[in-house]
Amino acid sequence: MKEQLIVIVGPTAVGKTALGVSLAKKYNSEVISGDSMQVYKGMDIGTAKVTAEEQDGVSHHLIDIKHPKETFSVAEFQESCIPLITQVNKKGHVPLLVGGTGLYINAIIKQYQFESMPTDKRYRDELEQLASKLGNYELHTMLKEVDPKAAESIHPNNIRRVIRALEVTRVTGIPFSRQQTEEQTVSPYTTAMVGLTMERSKLYERINKRVDIMIEQGLVEEAKALYDSGIRGCQSVQAIGYKELYDYFEGLYSLEDAIVNLKQNSRRYAKRQLTWFRNKTDATWFDMSNGLNEQTFTEICTFIEGEIPFISK
């Protein structure tokens, strides 16, 4: 019998964390974070990391496992996540994979095969140095020239992914976009994939409000502590919420303008997330415009129990 898995996806600020905790409590289960930035210690406010209070006694995995100076790849995520899914299943429970990093989610659902991808460390180091000198967009332009399709699907600020695409293309001579078909067409899990959406205006309002709350909670001070400790040019601080404030610390923008940029970048990211999940997953969508009310929660539970019949027993 296949292992079982509940997946919750959707854009930033839509309510994934709260739903994950509510479902985990109902089904006596555990949450696995599918967020590429919540792995970093000391980056709590800007990543909207679930607090101890919000966890409400529910076990959460793959949070606070890396120092901000360290890198963390989708392959590492897959390597860490798959054993956790097995571990929770062996306890007789169905784990909940909750997050907004689409590539991470699909790496689990479709079991991407990463080990066959070749590497060239020297070339990768060259590209990292180029990115530091010339900026992310220059490398993204290089990718456009050799693999327009990959450039279209990878955002310029996802610099690790841009570098990886350039590296693989150079080593193999085959465009990176043509090599991303190494996935299982049938999921290794019995999966219930829940997608959360919301009226665009309400979502954007929630994002703007969330940023204001983050600032009140001390996001500027959190980012400044990272900046002052010498964490620069790392994967972690390329995250939305940190890179905008780093621009402020560097004197490129006023604090007011940095916050405006942060809100705008967060809204754009949410839009990209929605598009990605709609195009790249088989999620069944639930509207959260009225919040996580009893009716919506019941509908989601009914859907999950239809996909994973044993869960309600």
Side-chain angles (χ1 to χ4, degrees):
M1 187 195 302
K2 286 184 178 182
E3 291 177 344
Q4 300 168 349
L5 180 66
I6 299 168
V7 183
I8 303 171
V9 299
T12 185
V14 79
K16 298 185 296 294
T17 298
L19 176 62
V21 169
S22 296
L23 289 172
K25 292 186 76 164
K26 177 177 174 65
Y27 297 123
N28 187 26
S29 192
E30 301 174 26
V31 172
I32 302 170
S33 171
D35 186 287
S36 62
M37 290 298 151
Q38 291 189 0
V39 297
Y40 290 110
K41 298 171 185 174
M43 295 177 62
D44 303 331
I45 300 170
T47 63
K49 196 177 291 174
V50 61
T51 65
E53 186 181 350
E54 288 168 337
Q55 289 180 33
D56 199 14
V58 171
S59 293
H60 281 66
H61 302 277
L62 301 188
I63 290 173
D64 289 337
I65 61 171
K66 286 280 184 176
H67 186 279
K69 283 189 175 179
E70 295 180 282
T71 59
F72 190 65
S73 69
V74 63
E76 286 177 85
F77 171 76
Q78 187 191 64
E79 194 176 296
S80 302
C81 185
I82 289 173
L84 283 170
I85 293 172
T86 298
Q87 178 184 308
V88 178
N89 269 272
K90 280 183 177 176
K91 292 178 184 177
H93 306 306
V94 181
L96 290 101
L97 177 58
V98 181
T101 306
L103 197 62
Y104 280 28
I105 301 298
N106 267 7
I108 300 305
I109 301 302
K110 300 186 177 183
Q111 298 268 295
Y112 289 158
Q113 302 300 306
F114 294 104
E115 65 276 2
S116 59
M117 291 283 197
T119 60
D120 182 340
K121 190 177 185 306
R122 183 179 293 179
Y123 182 57
R124 192 188 320 146
D125 290 344
E126 285 176 20
L127 292 173
E128 285 170 358
Q129 288 171 17
L130 264 178
S132 298
K133 288 178 187 174
L134 304 176
N136 296 354
Y137 280 86
E138 187 65 32
L139 257 69
H140 195 259
T141 300
M142 287 171 60
L143 181 59
K144 263 186 196 172
E145 290 171 2
V146 296
D147 189 351
K149 193 173 178 183
E152 194 178 317
S153 66
I154 303 172
H155 191 272
N157 285 334
N158 191 350
I159 194 62
R160 282 195 91 250
R161 195 75 181 149
V162 171
I163 288 173
R164 185 67 179 128
L166 285 166
E167 179 187 6
V168 171
T169 302
R170 172 167 171 144
V171 174
T172 64
I174 301 168
F176 183 66
S177 56
R178 279 171 48 196
Q179 299 186 48
Q180 290 183 283
T181 55
E182 293 185 79
E183 59 187 51
Q184 293 187 15
T185 52
V186 178
S187 176
Y189 304 109
T190 298
T191 305
M193 181 172 274
V194 175
L196 302 184
T197 187
M198 185 177 284
E199 290 173 19
R200 191 66 57 90
S201 60
K202 283 191 177 181
L203 180 62
Y204 286 175
E205 189 180 319
R206 277 175 64 96
I207 289 169
N208 290 339
K209 187 176 179 182
R210 176 189 264 192
V211 171
D212 289 335
I213 291 169
M214 285 176 170
I215 298 298
E216 288 170 17
Q217 290 175 334
L219 176 58
V220 177
E221 292 76 13
E222 180 177 88
K224 190 65 161 62
L226 294 167
Y227 183 84
D228 289 344
S229 67
I231 297 170
R232 317 274 174 88
C234 299
Q235 177 185 350
S236 59
V237 292
Q238 292 297 319
I240 295 170
Y242 298 92
K243 61 190 176 77
E244 295 84 1
L245 290 173
Y246 267 50
D247 286 343
Y248 159 59
F249 303 145
E250 296 280 358
L252 300 175
Y253 295 103
S254 66
L255 177 58
E256 187 180 60
D257 285 343
I259 293 170
V260 169
N261 291 342
L262 170 48
K263 288 179 178 178
Q264 184 180 63
N265 289 339
S266 297
R267 293 193 302 268
R268 286 174 175 168
Y269 178 55
K271 186 179 178 182
R272 290 198 305 274
Q273 284 176 301
L274 272 169
T275 301
W276 199 97
F277 284 122
R278 286 194 184 281
N279 292 340
K280 304 275 189 180
T281 71
D282 296 321
T284 295
W285 293 89
F286 296 86
D287 193 333
M288 299 288 283
S289 297
N290 296 319
L292 185 58
N293 54 41
E294 190 176 337
Q295 181 183 339
T296 305
F297 186 69
T298 300
E299 287 173 0
I300 291 170
C301 291
T302 301
F303 163 71
I304 289 170
E305 290 165 19
E307 297 294 304
I308 305 176
F310 299 107
I311 199 168
S312 57
K313 292 185 180 179

